[in-house]
Amino acid sequence: MSDPLSEVIALLRPRAPFSKLVDASGAWRVRRTEVGQVYYCLLLAGRARLEVDGKPPMDLCQGDFVLVPAVQGFSMSSADPVPPPGLESHPLIRPDGSVRIGPEDAPVEVQQLIGYCSFGAPDAELLVPLLPDMAVARGEQRLGDLARLVRDEALADRPARDVVLEHLLQVLLIEALRCSSETGATPGLLRGLADDRLRGPLRAIHAAPDRAWSVAELAREAGLSRSAFFTRFNRVVGMAPMEYLQSWRMTLAKHMLRSRQHSIAEIAAKIGYGSTSAFSSAFSRRMGAPPAQYARGA
């Protein structure tokens, strides 16, 4: 059976990691606005508070791992003591690349491994909304080991470094989302796969995107009435079933057009269009350009 989460992460092509070790003491707050980047943090010691724009503050303890697939703006601060309003700390970058917040001679109270990466897929805007806007895993040793491997590989100059990093990041993202105990109420693919009724239809779509699916057929996969399935899918995944199917087909089409290993007719057949003209019309409506033009540009 198809694994939708693995497919989405692989197509996103995570890359260009930046990872650093941060030591802090006293009252501190650091504000960042790295729009569109993937942010992750592993708390190695102490406690800290994460505030992502538009979400309530979250306290992190030793061993906690947090992943935010598309950061719009966030701050990380001390949890005890609570920093005064308006405080903005100025991190010091050490010669070894690690970061110090607070007096250099003070005992280290908080230690964290933080990192950023970006998605190399040109159609990331279609895929990122399928993920939760935040995932938190509490005390997962595997995530800590993976985060350290990513950091070590990012700092090294070994052969095939970029290939190794891309695969490590894929595993890190999948493990973080799979282990997450807190994804909030954000609709998306992960919530859909966690839903006993929707897991089957989602896997069916990914296993056979070329099939002429209808809402009624997918509802039978879910064991629900057509109206109950439509309402539940929309609420949990964040879009209507046919919209999800169309979005996934277009994502696959763009991937195949970029690879240039298939003709437009072959792509049309692989994603469920009865003719090249029907596929070209649907692709043009969705992407603003016909498939041949998109392939030349890619």
Side-chain angles (χ1 to χ4, degrees):
M1 180 63 76
S2 178
D3 183 353
L5 183 59
S6 295
E7 285 184 304
V8 169
I9 297 297
L11 287 176
L12 279 169
R13 292 166 47 204
R15 66 182 189 184
F18 172 74
S19 183
K20 59 186 176 184
L21 191 66
V22 179
D23 294 331
S25 56
W28 54 275
R29 180 185 291 111
V30 177
R31 172 79 180 164
R32 291 289 182 267
T33 55
E34 283 80 0
V35 174
Q37 294 197 73
V38 185
Y39 168 75
Y40 59 88
C41 171
L42 171 67
L43 206 65
L44 301 172
R47 295 172 57 233
R49 174 163 293 178
L50 174 66
E51 296 183 63
V52 176
D53 288 358
K55 300 185 73 69
M58 177 175 292
D59 287 335
L60 302 175
C61 301
Q62 181 176 332
D64 290 351
F65 183 93
V66 61
L67 171 75
V68 187
V71 172
Q72 298 303 314
F74 72 96
S75 67
M76 185 74 80
S77 63
S78 54
D80 183 19
V82 176
L87 175 67
E88 289 264 350
S89 302
H90 300 284
L92 171 68
I93 300 177
R94 294 164 167 159
D96 64 358
S98 64
V99 175
R100 185 68 163 96
I101 304 174
E104 184 71 31
D105 56 353
V108 174
E109 298 169 333
V110 178
Q111 187 175 65
Q112 50 191 325
L113 177 64
I114 70 170
Y116 299 93
C117 65
S118 60
F119 292 133
D123 48 358
E125 74 280 357
L126 294 176
L127 295 167
V128 171
L130 300 178
L131 305 177
D133 58 7
M134 180 184 292
V136 180
R138 306 282 187 182
E140 292 286 344
Q141 180 64 41
R142 286 161 59 89
L143 282 168
D145 294 341
L146 282 167
R148 292 183 188 93
L149 280 172
V150 168
R151 180 175 185 271
D152 291 345
E153 192 65 29
L155 295 174
D157 188 20
R158 303 186 183 101
R161 169 183 172 275
D162 290 344
V163 175
V164 172
L165 275 173
E166 183 170 334
H167 288 295
L168 279 175
L169 284 167
Q170 286 183 16
V171 176
L172 177 65
L173 292 173
I174 291 170
E175 191 70 13
L177 293 168
R178 190 169 64 177
C179 293
S180 174
S181 59
E182 300 173 37
T183 59
T186 310
L189 176 62
L190 196 64
R191 279 191 67 199
L193 292 173
D195 187 299
D196 290 340
R197 296 285 190 171
L198 301 183
R199 185 184 305 122
L202 282 167
R203 287 180 171 173
I205 286 172
H206 283 252
D210 59 329
R211 182 168 168 176
W213 292 106
S214 67
V215 174
E217 284 180 298
L218 293 170
R220 282 196 293 272
E221 290 277 342
L224 295 170
S225 69
R226 187 182 183 282
S227 59
F229 169 70
F230 183 89
T231 301
R232 188 163 177 162
F233 195 100
N234 223 329
R235 174 173 52 83
V236 174
V237 181
M239 61 183 75
M242 291 299 102
E243 183 184 355
Y244 182 91
L245 174 61
Q246 175 80 344
S247 178
W248 182 242
R249 284 173 168 173
M250 291 299 107
T251 297
L252 294 175
K254 290 175 73 173
H255 177 70
M256 287 186 278
L257 286 167
R258 287 194 304 271
S259 72
R260 302 187 182 186
Q261 295 177 354
H262 307 278
S263 68
I264 292 176
E266 289 172 333
I267 294 172
K270 285 178 178 290
I271 63 172
Y273 286 90
S275 68
T276 302
S277 61
F279 165 60
S280 296
S281 297
F283 190 92
S284 299
R285 282 196 306 272
R286 185 92 179 196
M287 301 302 159
Q293 182 179 332
Y294 176 85
R296 287 194 297 270

